[in-house]
Amino acid sequence: RANSTAFGLAAVVISNDINSAITISHALEAGTVWINTHGVYDPVAPYQGHKESGLGEEYGIEGLQAYLKKKTVMVKCRC
C-alpha cells in the first residue's frame, strides 16, 4: 500500500528489527527513507523525489550537476 500513491518524496520506517526495516526501505518507491528517525539531512547525500515528487535533485554532487555545463575542447598543438 505504501507505493500505491503517485508521489514518493520521502518515507519513514519505524521498527525494532533493523534488518526488516532495511529490506522495507529498499522496496519503498521514495527518494529518501528514514529508519527510526525523520528529517535528518546530510549535505553530501542527494535529496530527490521519485514519481511525481520534486523536480531534480538537491544536495550532493547530483544537486550541483544541474548548475554545471560540460564542455570538451580539443586542441591540436602546432609544436
Side-chain angles (χ1 to χ4, degrees):
R1 276 181 21 188
N3 291 330
S4 65
T5 177
F7 304 100
L9 184 59
V12 175
V13 178
I14 305 294
S15 176
N16 290 326
D17 183 344
I18 193 67
N19 291 321
S20 292
I22 291 170
T23 299
I24 291 167
S25 75
H26 290 294
L28 290 169
E29 296 172 358
T32 298
V33 179
W34 291 287
I35 298 176
N36 295 333
T37 189
H38 179 266
V40 177
Y41 299 95
D42 186 330
V44 298
Y47 184 74
Q48 75 284 331
H50 287 195
K51 302 180 184 182
E52 295 182 33
S53 289
L55 297 170
E57 298 172 305
E58 297 180 20
Y59 308 125
I61 294 298
E62 296 83 357
L64 291 174
Q65 288 175 341
Y67 299 97
L68 303 175
K69 287 186 175 181
K70 295 179 184 175
K71 180 184 287 191
T72 301
V73 177
M74 307 295 275
V75 177
K76 182 177 180 181
C77 184
R78 297 187 207 179
C79 301

